[in-house]
Amino acid sequence: MLDLNDVALFVQVARLGSFAEAGRRLGLPANTVSRRIQQLENALDSRLMQRSTRKLSLTSAGEAFYQRCAASVDSLLDAGQAQTGDGGEPGGLIRVAATADFFDFLPMEWVAEFLDAHPRVKIEFALSDARADLIADRIDVAFRGGELADSGYVARRLPVAGGGGLVASPAYLASRGAPASLAELAGHDCVTTRIPGEWTTWKLIGPDGREEAVQVGGRFRGDTAQAQRRAALAGLGIALLPPALARLDLEAGRLRPVLPQYRRPGPGLSVLYPSRKHLPAAVSAFVDMVVERLSRSAPSA
């Protein structure tokens, strides 16, 4: 007789492509997961998975078995979740991938409040400007800006403020004056990202809603928005910063708006999951917190 727990485990392994990842999500050692899949194969007298040192893949028999049982397993899990309701406290480790300057946009206080509210949860952040492979890097959820090139992940667009505006320090403006038009930016020191060539092209949306482009240059370049913010604070030039990053400095008078009628188109922010089905409760709670906080902060950013 088939052990239905092993069938449900097989579905999870097939979706995640890894004994270790399935075990991590279910709280089982990887060797236990492998042994139980072998038991299922013995019970079916059929090989369901091809194993290698690099990855798992379904055999034709495994693919056929998955197609026949996955929906039923999902229905049983959904029924169990509906029966237990919200009584289960989220717990476990959440692995989050994000850009190196992620906490310039997501206040650490939000994370602290979330952990206070969910004492059984731990969060591990992998912060890098290189894009993580969610499956290979064992990532539960990733935050990415701009257009998404990936087609294999589940993506959800997040509410964020616009893409950014021009700012400079009072000292810089006192020394060099404020540009009266977009074209005058070419005669100013501008703080830009590090790219090949002497000039950087900024594309901005003007008061009439049309996009305009201007080539700018300066004596300082930096790879991160935080580095550009600090350069602007030090009086090194005019910077194009995200609203969330510049807001406190603008409120405190450490930075001032430059040509406020021009804005950079928002690149947007998305959250990605390896799979749509059965997100761990802790992951779902964390993403809901981020969405709720961003929804509240976006209008005033």
Side-chain angles (χ1 to χ4, degrees):
M1 179 179 294
L2 289 181
D3 186 330
L4 295 182
N5 290 317
D6 289 347
V7 175
L9 182 58
F10 162 76
V11 170
Q12 293 300 317
V13 173
R15 284 184 175 140
L16 297 171
S18 165
F19 291 138
E21 180 63 16
R24 184 180 71 82
R25 298 203 176 205
L26 298 172
L28 296 172
N31 58 354
T32 298
V33 176
S34 177
R35 176 175 52 79
R36 287 176 55 180
I37 296 302
Q38 280 190 310
Q39 290 176 352
L40 178 63
E41 290 176 323
N42 291 337
L44 293 170
D45 194 23
S46 180
R47 190 170 187 82
L48 302 176
M49 293 182 169
Q50 298 288 0
R51 300 153 174 85
S52 73
T53 56
R54 296 183 62 86
K55 68 174 185 176
L56 294 175
S57 59
L58 295 179
T59 64
S60 57
E63 180 65 34
F65 186 66
Y66 174 82
Q67 293 297 332
R68 296 188 65 180
C69 68
S72 298
V73 168
D74 289 344
S75 296
L76 288 172
L77 291 174
D78 289 340
Q81 289 174 351
Q83 183 67 27
T84 56
D86 298 326
E89 172 66 24
L93 175 64
I94 307 173
R95 287 189 171 92
V96 182
T99 58
D101 55 3
F102 183 64
F103 287 112
D104 295 333
F105 306 91
L106 184 84
M108 187 65 76
E109 291 77 10
W110 295 1
V111 179
E113 291 171 11
F114 176 80
L115 291 175
D116 283 343
H118 302 288
R120 295 182 56 232
V121 173
K122 297 180 181 180
I123 305 181
E124 179 180 287
F125 284 91
L127 300 179
S128 173
D129 289 332
R131 296 201 165 189
D133 183 321
L134 274 63
I135 300 299
D137 297 334
R138 299 168 59 195
I139 297 297
D140 294 302
V141 58
F143 293 91
R144 290 182 182 170
E147 295 301 319
L148 298 177
D150 302 300
S151 59
Y153 302 141
V154 179
R156 176 181 177 185
R157 206 70 169 173
L158 298 181
V160 293
L166 298 166
V167 296
S169 71
Y172 177 85
L173 295 174
S175 172
R176 299 287 299 276
S181 67
L182 205 62
E184 289 187 14
L185 285 175
H188 278 264
D189 282 328
C190 292
V191 175
T192 64
T193 191
R194 185 170 61 88
I195 61 172
E198 183 179 355
W199 300 95
T200 297
T201 300
W202 281 348
K203 296 181 178 180
L204 301 165
I205 302 297
D208 59 0
R210 291 189 302 173
E211 184 178 86
E212 299 181 47
V214 60
Q215 286 193 319
V216 298
R219 301 173 63 195
F220 180 92
R221 296 182 179 186
D223 283 342
T224 68
Q226 185 62 261
Q228 294 165 30
R229 167 186 168 267
R230 291 175 177 170
L233 288 170
L236 296 181
I238 299 171
L240 181 56
L241 297 180
L245 189 58
R247 179 173 58 85
L248 294 179
D249 293 318
L250 288 168
E251 291 175 355
R254 293 185 293 267
L255 293 174
R256 291 180 182 170
V258 174
L259 298 173
Q261 67 271 32
Y262 288 93
R263 307 291 294 176
R264 177 170 57 188
L269 183 67
S270 298
V271 58
L272 283 75
Y273 318 102
S275 172
R276 186 185 302 277
K277 287 290 186 178
H278 308 301
L279 281 178
V283 174
S284 181
F286 178 71
V287 172
D288 287 345
M289 180 276 292
V290 173
V291 171
E292 191 271 334
R293 293 296 188 100
L294 288 176
S295 297
R296 277 195 281 156
S297 64
S300 60

